[in-house]
Amino acid sequence: DTAVSQTPKYLVTQMGNDKSIKCEQNLGHDTMYWYKQDSKKFLKIMFSYNNKELIINETVPNRFSPKSPDKAHLNLHINSLELGDSAVYFCASSQEAGGGTEAFFGQGTRLTVV
Amino acid sequence: RKEVEQDPGPFNVPEGATVAFNCTYSNSASQSFFWYRQDCRKEPKLLMSVYSSGNEDGRFTAQLNRASQYISLLIRDSKLSDSATYLCVVNTSMNRDDKIIFGKGTRLHILP
């Protein structure tokens, strides 16, 4: 059983398109995240949701819009894709804040914008 | 000062040697700390949590120094399979804002 699953695993698309990446966790966690890992391998937090409510929104362009239909899902929609959006996007989940909360990651979605 | 800083390496270490990494963090309110391991083109996976009193898991020892705001990871008797990127992770929870921040990672190459 995959604890955190995200789809698709690979996504190749043209500039200007709109695309979505889906993420689901079956761990019963309250908090979910999206991270972006760029070519330099730096994992940077983009969004954090707690019980479907946006908690963290780092300096991410408005073209990125997370949507959480329920606490087990956090999807990432990207409008008007740009070349610089090419990266690996990781979804993660953790128990609610309280200390000692490790994050469990999905396998990543490798987005290539051409 | 960056929130979480690590030496990017790479550390090229012969098999069987001992290697240590440090990681500094800027927020003194940070509450929990972890080391993750990331293999090439894979997702990060938890290696071990870091406890205030220090903790050991087999060949791996993690320590926390709150006064100096750093954590460390020591790997003894290194194996070829230890080659990976090691990510320092700091969790700061304030007002329901559960922020998990990753360092940029330290690349380790174990040489046969």
Side-chain angles (χ1 to χ4, degrees):
Chain A
D1 282 344
T2 304
V4 181
S5 59
Q6 50 183 114
T7 55
K9 191 171 180 181
Y10 299 97
L11 182 55
V12 181
T13 188
Q14 289 186 323
M15 281 175 58
N17 284 349
D18 302 338
K19 290 292 178 186
S20 292
I21 307 172
K22 295 185 177 180
C23 179
E24 176 182 3
Q25 54 96 3
N26 63 7
L27 298 166
H29 288 166
D30 289 331
T31 307
M32 295 185 72
Y33 312 84
W34 276 106
Y35 284 84
K36 177 180 179 180
Q37 189 167 40
D38 59 27
S39 57
K40 295 181 181 176
K41 306 301 180 189
F42 179 38
L43 261 165
K44 182 169 176 160
I45 191 167
M46 300 172 68
F47 302 102
S48 167
Y49 266 72
N50 182 276
N51 259 323
K52 303 193 299 175
E53 183 181 342
L54 179 65
I55 300 299
I56 293 173
N57 182 351
E58 293 292 316
T59 50
V60 176
N62 290 338
R63 300 181 294 103
F64 290 79
S65 53
K67 290 198 170 36
S68 183
D70 54 64
K71 77 173 195 177
H73 296 83
L74 181 61
N75 303 324
L76 183 65
H77 188 77
I78 316 170
N79 290 328
S80 303
L81 278 155
E82 299 177 359
L83 292 177
D85 297 333
S86 296
V88 181
Y89 292 83
F90 285 101
C91 174
S93 73
S94 69
Q95 292 283 14
E96 185 166 2
T101 53
E102 64 196 74
F104 294 81
F105 282 80
Q107 291 185 310
T109 295
R110 187 171 295 274
L111 171 65
T112 304
V113 182
V114 297
Chain B
R1 184 178 177 185
K2 293 180 182 174
E3 289 184 280
V4 179
E5 287 198 78
Q6 296 181 247
D7 183 340
F11 284 51
N12 297 310
V13 174
E15 192 176 7
T18 296
V19 60
F21 314 131
N22 279 344
C23 166
T24 60
Y25 61 95
S26 61
N27 189 339
S28 59
S30 298
Q31 298 163 327
S32 50
F33 309 87
F34 308 90
W35 284 102
Y36 277 71
R37 170 190 170 135
Q38 186 173 24
D39 293 292
C40 187
R41 302 177 80 88
K42 298 286 188 182
E43 73 274 23
K45 291 185 178 175
L46 180 68
L47 177 65
M48 59 195 302
S49 301
V50 186
Y51 302 126
S52 297
S53 55
N55 49 299
E56 191 173 305
D57 182 2
R59 297 180 294 108
F60 298 84
T61 301
Q63 291 193 311
L64 166 65
N65 185 319
R66 284 196 183 272
S68 301
Q69 294 183 205
Y70 75 86
I71 66 172
S72 64
L73 177 68
L74 180 81
I75 305 175
R76 289 181 300 278
D77 187 24
S78 53
K79 312 288 184 192
L80 294 175
S81 57
D82 294 334
S83 296
T85 296
Y86 290 83
L87 301 163
C88 167
V89 181
V90 175
N91 186 343
T92 303
S93 299
M94 295 178 68
N95 301 322
R96 294 177 60 237
D97 181 354
D98 187 15
K99 198 167 180 179
I100 299 178
I101 304 297
F102 281 75
K104 291 191 176 185
T106 298
R107 285 182 295 144
L108 174 64
H109 297 150
I110 303 299
L111 307 172

